[in-house]
């Protein structure tokens, strides 16, 4: 495995002492509904809803690394103020769990996991509107526009995820998107570091609908031994192509006694279209009550623009609670998963659970 840094991070857990989870699963009655606002002060004197988004310049080498390897590690994109902002927003979210986190958290996938957290938590929406995230991703995609397709707040993956590719990318196809991670914590020395198969986004063996990947299968020989491991630090970004094969190993006992907090997701590049994914597992990242139809231009408050700048009308729609999910729409969209073919594709998702 190729390490991306020679620095050693000494994160020692107590020896001879019974490990306990740093975070407990919320009780059923603790879940909340509607919009949540931690009312956080933005870093660097940013005025909410007014100050333009920040910028962070990449090098041509970094952009080409992403294009050629399928993944790039950008160190130190966000300074200590932004990291503290994200940690505080995450702490507020975990202390005030939202109903839309119930299914993922109850499944034991993560100690806490919530999709489209920007829709319900104002602090994360403001991060997208005002931070340099959009500028970084626009450079990586060589694009004039970045929209948030879907996001995830992830705290402590209990057992990690086996080799897989991402198909929960919202209503876009892989060529239209970029995956991202923004890390808030040091990576432990013995587990928790994402590992990617270099250049595996070029493979034509793995079906685009598949999640779990058997890297020993015929056709992946040129990729399986070219593994890139990234031990990220607070404020770093990992950016990768949605078809790049990767994994994350959790602690063997599934107990995180320290934090591993990540804000991640998928963004859409300029020119992206709306793809109705009913009948596939991909629909689970598009459960909003918008009115977009297959083939429409991806332009909606449900998929907010964050580069070159946020749209005040889209932000107003979100802030007034008009960007959300409808139970009837959810039933309609996931109903297609009942077919045998789509069920088999969806079941592939569950095979990534576990770290070995």
């Amino acid at each position: 495995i190729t390490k991306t840094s020679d620095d050693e991070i000494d994160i020692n857990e107590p020896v001879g002492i019974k490990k306990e989870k740093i975070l407990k699963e919320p009780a059923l009655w603790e879940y909340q509904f509607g919009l949540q606002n931690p009312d956080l002060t933005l870093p660097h004197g940013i005025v909410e809803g007014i100050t333009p988004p920040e910028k962070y310049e990449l090098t041509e080498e970094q952009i080409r690394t992403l294009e050629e390897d399928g993944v790039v590690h950008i160190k130190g994109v966000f300074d200590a103020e932004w990291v503290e902002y994200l940690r505080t927003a995450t702490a507020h979210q975990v202390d005030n769990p939202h109903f839309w986190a119930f299914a993922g958290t109850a499944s034991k996938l993560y100690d806490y996991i919530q999709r489209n957290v920007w829709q319900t938590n104002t602090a994360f929406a403001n991060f997208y509107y005002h931070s340099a995230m959009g500028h970084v991703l626009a450079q990586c995609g060589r694009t004039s526009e970045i929209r948030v397709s879907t996001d995830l707040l992830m705290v402590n993956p209990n057992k990690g995820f086996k080799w897989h590719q991402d198909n929960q990318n919202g209503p876009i196809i892989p060529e239209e998107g970029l995956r991202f991670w923004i890390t808030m914590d040091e990576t432990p020395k013995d587990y928790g570091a994402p590992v990617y198969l270099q250049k595996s986004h070029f493979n034509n063996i793995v079906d685009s609908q598949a999640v779990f990947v058997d890297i020993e299968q015929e056709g992946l020989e040129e990729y399986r031994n070219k593994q890139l491991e990234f031990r990220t630090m607070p404020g770093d970004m990992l950016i990768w192509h949605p078809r790049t094969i990767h994994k994350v190993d959790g602690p063997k006992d599934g107990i995180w006694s320290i934090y591993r907090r990540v804000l991640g997701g998928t963004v859409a590049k300029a020119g992206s279209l709306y793809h109705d994914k009913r009948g596939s597992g991909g629909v689970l990242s598009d459960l909003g009550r918008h009115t977009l139809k297959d083939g429409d231009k991806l332009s909606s408050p449900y998929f907010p623009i964050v580069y070159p700048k946020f749209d005040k009308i889209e932000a107003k729609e979100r802030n007034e609670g008009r960007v959300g999910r409808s139970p009837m729409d959810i039933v309609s969209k996931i109903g297609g998963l009942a077919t045998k073919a789509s069920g088999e594709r969806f079941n592939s998702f569950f095979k990534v659970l576990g770290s070995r």
Side-chain angles (χ1 to χ4, degrees), residues 64 113 122 133 144 172 187 193 204 209 286 316:
R64 291 189 63 181
I113 182 169
T122 301
M133 184 201 78
S144 60
I172 59 174
T187 303
N204 57 8
Q209 294 284 343
D286 173 32
K316 185 172 185 287

Side-chain angles (χ1 to χ4, degrees), residues 110 157 159-164 181 187 191-196 238 246-251 256 260 352 354-356:
Y110 282 78
K159 291 187 177 180
F161 288 80
K162 296 179 181 179
W163 292 110
H164 66 284
W181 257 27
T187 303
Y191 58 86
V195 184
Y196 295 77
L238 270 179
H246 56 290
K247 71 168 183 172
V248 177
D249 290 335
W256 285 81
R260 211 295 304 276
V352 304
S355 61
R356 303 291 183 269

Side-chain angles (χ1 to χ4, degrees), residues 89-156:
T90 300
H92 181 276
Q93 188 61 73
V94 170
D95 289 342
N96 299 273
H98 197 278
F99 176 74
W100 294 120
F102 173 74
T105 302
S107 73
K108 314 295 184 183
L109 283 168
Y110 282 78
D111 286 346
Y112 188 89
I113 182 169
Q114 183 178 337
R115 183 171 293 282
N116 289 341
V117 68
W118 73 271
Q119 289 185 0
T120 58
N121 188 313
T122 301
F124 292 105
N126 283 334
F127 173 77
Y128 292 148
Y129 297 156
H130 293 288
S131 77
M133 184 201 78
H135 185 227
V136 170
L137 291 165
Q139 293 171 87
C140 284
R142 300 188 191 272
T143 182
S144 60
E145 179 181 295
I146 289 290
R147 287 183 174 272
V148 176
S149 180
T150 187
D151 75 346
L152 276 172
L153 177 64
M154 300 166 279
V155 182
N156 300 350

Side-chain angles (χ1 to χ4, degrees), residues 161-323:
F161 288 80
K162 296 179 181 179
W163 292 110
H164 66 284
Q165 66 179 7
D166 299 306
N167 80 338
Q168 297 296 318
N169 296 311
I172 59 174
I173 58 177
E175 291 70 28
E176 294 173 331
L178 289 171
R179 295 284 298 182
F180 71 90
W181 257 27
I182 297 164
T183 54
M184 307 178 212
D185 302 286
E186 297 180 5
T187 303
K189 189 160 54 177
D190 299 321
Y191 58 86
V195 184
Y196 295 77
L197 297 190
Q198 187 178 27
K199 302 183 185 298
S200 59
H201 61 309
F202 292 127
N203 92 84
N204 57 8
I205 302 299
V206 181
D207 187 277
S208 62
Q209 294 284 343
V211 182
F212 171 75
V213 177
D214 178 4
I215 67 170
E216 298 301 322
Q217 68 181 285
E218 184 177 354
L220 295 181
E221 295 86 356
E222 64 179 296
Y223 308 112
R224 70 172 68 110
N225 294 322
K226 297 178 180 178
Q227 300 183 15
L228 302 174
E229 178 180 280
F230 300 96
R231 291 180 54 210
T232 53
M233 297 287 284
D236 290 358
M237 286 190 74
L238 270 179
I239 302 161
W240 66 95
H241 190 284
R243 282 182 55 81
T244 304
I245 299 166
H246 56 290
K247 71 168 183 172
V248 177
D249 290 335
K252 292 181 180 179
D253 57 9
I255 297 176
W256 285 81
S257 57
I258 55 177
Y259 277 115
R260 211 295 304 276
R261 295 162 287 192
V262 171
L263 180 63
T266 307
V267 296
K269 296 181 282 189
S272 295
L273 301 179
Y274 177 81
H275 301 269
D276 191 334
K277 295 187 177 181
R278 274 179 273 204
S280 75
V283 75
L284 296 179
S285 54
D286 173 32
L287 295 176
R289 58 174 181 258
H290 58 77
T291 58
L292 291 177
K293 294 180 174 57
D294 193 63
D296 286 351
K297 180 182 178 181
L298 192 74
S299 179
S300 165
Y302 285 80
F303 311 102
I305 189 169
V306 294
Y307 182 86
K309 62 180 180 179
F310 63 93
D311 184 291
K312 290 186 177 181
I313 295 177
E314 290 183 352
K316 185 172 185 287
E317 289 286 301
R318 181 234 166 258
N319 292 341
E320 293 181 354
R322 291 196 286 269
V323 176

